[in-house]
Amino acid sequence: MRSLFISDLHLTPGRPDITRAFLRFLEQDAPTARQLYILGDFFEYWIGDDVMDEFHLQIAGALRRLSEHGVSISFMHGNRDFLVGERFCQLAGCTALPDPSVILLAKEPVVLMHGDSLCTLDTSYIRFRKVVRNPLIQKLFLSFPKRMRRKLADRLREKSMSAAREKTEPSMDVTPEAVTDALTQYQSKTLIHGHTHKPAIHDLEDGQQRIVLGDWDTYGWVLEHNPNGFDLKKFTI
Ligand code: OKV
Ligand code: MN
C-alpha cells in the first residue's frame, strides 16, 4: 500500500538530467506503488496540448506505461503548467486532479494542493494568476498561432525571472493563515503541497502537519505514504 507524491520537476528539454531521473523513477520506484500523485509544475511551461513534440510524447508515453502497469496517476496543475489539457492526460493515462483535492490515506482525509494559492502575500503573482486563469482569456490565448503563443510565453517568463530576483523571501512562502484555513475547511489534519521548493515535514498545533514536496534540481524528491506513515525521500539527480 504505497502512495507516491511528486511536484515541481519543471521538466523541460533544457534539463535532460531531470528528465532521465524522472524516467528512472517511473521504472524503478513507481511501479510498486498503488497511486502516483503529481502536484503541479510537472512541466516548466505549457502553452497548449497542440504544441507537444517528441519530448512531451516521450514523457506521456512513460506515464502511460506506468498507468497500464496498474498504477493510478493523478495530475494536478501548477502555476506553470496550468494549461495542460485533456489531450495530454489521455496520452499519459492520467486523471486530472482539481486544486485543492481531499483524498483518504489510511482512512484519514488529506488535503492536496499545488501551493501557490497558499502564498497569499505574493500580490503581484495573485494579479498575474487572476488574468491567466480566466477561462475566456485562456481560450483567447489558445486561439493564437503557436509562434505567437511561444513568443508571448517566452517574454512573460523572461519578465518573471527578473522580477523573482527582486522579491523578498517571506512573500514567496505560504502564510500560516492560508494553511490553517485549508485544514479547517476540509476538516483535515494533513496538508501536502509543493511550489515553495522548501521540502519539509512541519508538525503544527493540534497534531496537524504540513508536508512540503521538493523541486527537482540538484536532488529529486518523492514523498511516500506507506503503512508506517510518511517518508520524504531525497536522491541525487
Ligand atoms: C507560466 C509563469 C509563464 C508564473 C498567457 C493567457 C495571456 C495563458 C498564458 C503564457 C505563459 C503559460 C500560459 C508561464 C507561468 C510564466 C511567467 C510567470 C509566476 C495568457 C493564458 F498572456 F494571454 F494572458 N500563458 N505560459 N509565471 O510560459 O508556461 O507562474 S508559461
Ligand atoms: Mn509552482
Side-chain angles (χ1 to χ4, degrees), residues 73-209:
I73 309 173
S74 304
F75 188 101
M76 182 182 284
H77 290 139
N79 56 293
R80 310 207 65 95
D81 55 7
F82 58 88
L83 279 185
V84 168
E86 197 55 43
R87 204 165 100 89
F88 174 81
C89 284
Q90 240 163 41
L91 275 175
C94 299
T95 308
L97 185 70
D99 181 0
S101 285
V102 183
I103 61 163
L104 288 177
L105 285 180
K107 298 187 178 145
E108 294 292 326
V110 172
V111 183
L112 307 180
M113 300 176 122
H114 174 56
D116 55 326
S117 63
L118 299 167
C119 302
T120 50
L121 293 177
D122 198 345
T123 47
S124 62
Y125 169 68
I126 290 167
R127 235 175 306 133
F128 171 82
R129 190 183 207 268
K130 239 187 211 141
V131 175
V132 295
R133 295 296 184 102
N134 179 317
L136 278 173
I137 294 177
Q138 288 190 0
K139 217 175 148 185
L140 179 69
F141 177 77
L142 289 172
S143 77
F144 293 160
K146 290 170 193 170
R147 62 187 145 71
M148 208 166 131
R149 275 182 266 163
R150 247 184 231 114
K151 210 166 178 176
L152 184 52
D154 289 351
R155 208 175 299 151
L156 282 171
R157 287 201 307 282
E158 264 168 45
K159 243 182 76 186
S160 125
M161 267 202 280
S162 45
R165 268 182 250 120
E166 287 160 22
K167 268 182 196 165
T168 49
E169 269 260 354
S171 72
M172 296 297 291
D173 207 351
V174 304
T175 60
E177 296 76 25
V179 171
T180 307
D181 284 356
L183 288 172
T184 305
Q185 183 176 355
Y186 297 103
Q187 303 202 29
S188 168
K189 294 259 186 208
T190 306
L191 168 64
I192 301 174
H193 71 84
H195 182 65
T196 60
H197 302 186
K198 294 173 160 93
I201 300 184
H202 298 281
D203 288 314
L204 311 172
E205 276 150 59
D206 308 321
Q208 295 181 330
Q209 61 181 339

